[in-house]
Amino acid sequence: KLQKLAGQTLFITGASRGIGKAIALKAAKDGANVVIAAKTAQAHPKLPGTIYTAAEEIEALGGKALPCIVDVRDEKQIGEAVEQAVRKFGGIDILVNNASAINLTGTLETPMKKVDLMLGVNLRGTYLTSKLCIPHLLKSKNPHILNLSPPLNLNPIWFKNHTAYTMAKYGMSMCVLGMAEEFRGSIAVNALWPKTAIQTAAMEMLGGAEVGKQCRNVDIMSDAAYAILGKPRSYTGNFIIDEEILKTEGIKDFDIYAVAPGNALLPDFFLDEAEALVQNMGDQVVIPVAKGDSRSAATSGPIAETFNIIKGVLNPDIVKSTGGVYKFNLSGEHAGVWFIDMKNGGGSAGSGEPPVKADVVMTMDSADFTKMFAGKLKPTMAFMSGKLMIKGDMTLAIKMEKMMSMMKSKL
């Protein structure tokens, strides 16, 4: 088999784990040199892998590795890593801008510290790393920049729930749009994005352990990246979806990439296919609450029945392990405001405003709420398809899934 990347030097940001590491390992099999430019030098309590463990894996597969401690927001650190790479390997042929920060919250719920992190890592970090690598890329025989960022889809549905994250991610995509044209004929500059959710440690932190069954594994992204990086520099300015490029490479069976073949796959953000799921939501952001009939809704109907079951499930152990107050703004046939307090005493639940300020506010249609608590609609799927708006602490939103699994047998 032709080893397309043999002897080439790849500079990959955020390569200590996830998709970045998968691309590094794919290149290592060809005998490539890989610069692991990432922050994790000591093991993270929740996330596996460091730049040093990634380097060992690369070398075990036949590649050469240079682990560099790099925060992509730090110009000095990137500059030093680039210089070390050039000193050790003689140049840089490929840059993969993979490092990314994510926080899926609305404008009022996103602290400026998080906004600065996302813009600093995703947008500025990508721009800065590109700027410092380009002088070396221009000397390469077949230079590539590959940004892991989405097509620029300007449908408001992809902005309304997480404007800051979308701006930061689209900043990476705008680097592709601009630099592909600026360096046309000299450097190939492209973007790669997955069609479905990909199972990574970050994804599990966002969606819980169960979400993995609705994901593909990282191999689909590393195979797609490999296909792109083997193309000539004239292949530039493209916003590529993993599955689409692999179809052109002759791959027909995509079940090989599924974490749990046969399960429905979560579509990823920013794609038209995913939009089809959310069209029924319209542009309704402020959910009207029916005040007139809230008393009758509070005593009868599917929502009241669900809350009666929730009250039966609540106990001090659940309260202790959850530690959150949830408010539900429900629209549709059974509109109203409901709460679950899994923070105080033995817990409580019912209609109306919570007794104390809510940590998480969930806004959705009452029919979807019933489906969610019956185990027919996963909160992660509801959120990613736009059926559920979450304001507040995302980790607490994820903890809801534990409670729902306890309720399945009773509903």
Side-chain angles (χ1 to χ4, degrees), residues 150-151 153 158 162 165-166 169-170 193 268-272 275:
N153 186 340
W158 301 120
H162 39 74
Y165 174 65
T166 300
K169 254 350 240 186
Y170 280 16
W193 193 246
D268 206 353
F269 286 13
F270 310 120
L271 302 180
D272 292 331
E275 270 171 48

Side-chain angles (χ1 to χ4, degrees), residues 1 11 26 78 127-128 136 144 181 225 238 253 298 307 334 365 368 376 378 391:
K1 178 177 165 287
F11 191 103
K26 180 86 177 172
I78 299 172
Y127 184 92
L128 175 56
H136 303 286
H144 276 260
E181 207 53 46
N238 301 292
D253 176 18
F307 272 87
H334 302 283
D365 189 278
D368 288 326
K376 291 173 185 165
K378 285 190 184 291
K391 293 190 173 182

Side-chain angles (χ1 to χ4, degrees), residues 41-349:
Q42 268 102 34
H44 188 283
K46 290 184 183 171
L47 299 169
T50 68
I51 56 174
Y52 305 112
T53 57
E56 284 168 16
E57 288 180 61
I58 286 163
E59 298 198 327
L61 288 171
K64 291 193 178 113
L66 175 63
C68 296
I69 301 171
V70 170
D71 178 338
V72 293
R73 294 170 294 175
D74 188 324
E75 188 170 356
K76 187 166 176 280
Q77 284 184 6
I78 299 172
E80 285 171 358
V82 168
E83 289 313 312
Q84 278 184 53
V86 173
R87 253 198 323 273
K88 180 162 182 173
F89 299 127
I92 297 170
D93 302 290
I94 292 163
L95 166 63
V96 180
N97 284 305
N98 164 71
S100 217
I102 183 168
N103 203 68
L104 298 171
T105 46
T107 304
L108 298 179
E109 291 73 37
T110 314
M112 282 315 295
K113 189 179 173 187
K114 295 279 190 188
V115 177
D116 291 341
L117 175 70
M118 288 189 282
L119 293 173
V121 172
N122 305 5
L123 190 161
R124 187 178 182 274
T126 294
Y127 184 92
L128 175 56
T129 309
S130 302
K131 180 182 172 69
L132 296 182
C133 284
I134 285 168
H136 303 286
L137 290 168
L138 287 168
K139 297 172 188 169
S140 169
K141 287 188 179 125
N142 193 37
H144 276 260
I145 296 175
L146 182 62
N147 293 355
L148 295 194
S149 66
L152 288 162
N153 186 340
L154 296 182
N155 185 326
I157 201 104
W158 301 120
F159 288 81
K160 71 173 192 178
N161 292 341
H162 39 74
T163 297
Y165 174 65
T166 300
M167 289 195 304
K169 254 350 240 186
Y170 280 16
M172 295 175 73
S173 301
M174 286 193 278
C175 285
V176 171
L177 201 63
M179 292 176 194
E181 207 53 46
E182 185 179 358
F183 298 101
R184 187 174 290 278
S186 304
I187 304 171
V189 187
N190 295 290
L192 173 62
W193 193 246
K195 183 175 180 176
T196 71
I198 300 294
Q199 187 188 39
T200 61
M203 190 67 190
E204 284 190 8
M205 278 178 76
L206 282 173
E210 280 296 295
V211 79
K213 292 175 185 168
Q214 292 173 277
C215 296
R216 283 175 172 162
N217 60 43
V218 290
D219 295 345
I220 190 166
M221 286 294 280
S222 59
D223 286 356
Y226 186 80
I228 295 162
L229 299 175
K231 291 190 180 293
R233 71 181 80 188
S234 55
Y235 183 81
T236 192
N238 301 292
F239 291 87
I240 301 142
I241 304 302
D242 57 358
E243 185 178 300
E244 288 170 15
I245 190 161
L246 290 174
K247 279 179 181 169
T248 69
E249 296 283 309
I251 301 224
K252 293 183 176 69
D253 176 18
F254 287 89
D255 276 352
I256 58 167
Y257 297 116
V259 172
N263 274 19
L265 294 166
L266 277 174
D268 206 353
F269 286 13
F270 310 120
L271 302 180
D272 292 331
E273 290 93 320
E275 270 171 48
L277 289 172
V278 299
Q279 286 314 314
N280 60 346
M281 283 292 288
D283 293 321
Q284 194 177 21
V285 179
V286 180
I287 305 287
V289 173
K291 292 185 175 71
D293 62 354
S294 61
R295 284 216 178 130
S296 59
T299 55
S300 63
I303 306 297
E305 284 168 29
T306 301
F307 272 87
N308 284 335
I309 294 164
I310 290 169
K311 285 176 193 172
V313 172
L314 286 176
N315 62 51
D317 288 340
I318 288 183
V319 172
K320 191 178 172 188
S321 67
T322 308
V325 177
Y326 300 79
K327 176 181 167 184
F328 300 89
N329 288 331
L330 303 184
S331 63
E333 192 182 348
H334 302 283
V337 176
W338 298 78
F339 75 89
I340 306 173
D341 179 353
M342 290 192 277
K343 194 177 195 175
N344 302 293
S348 60

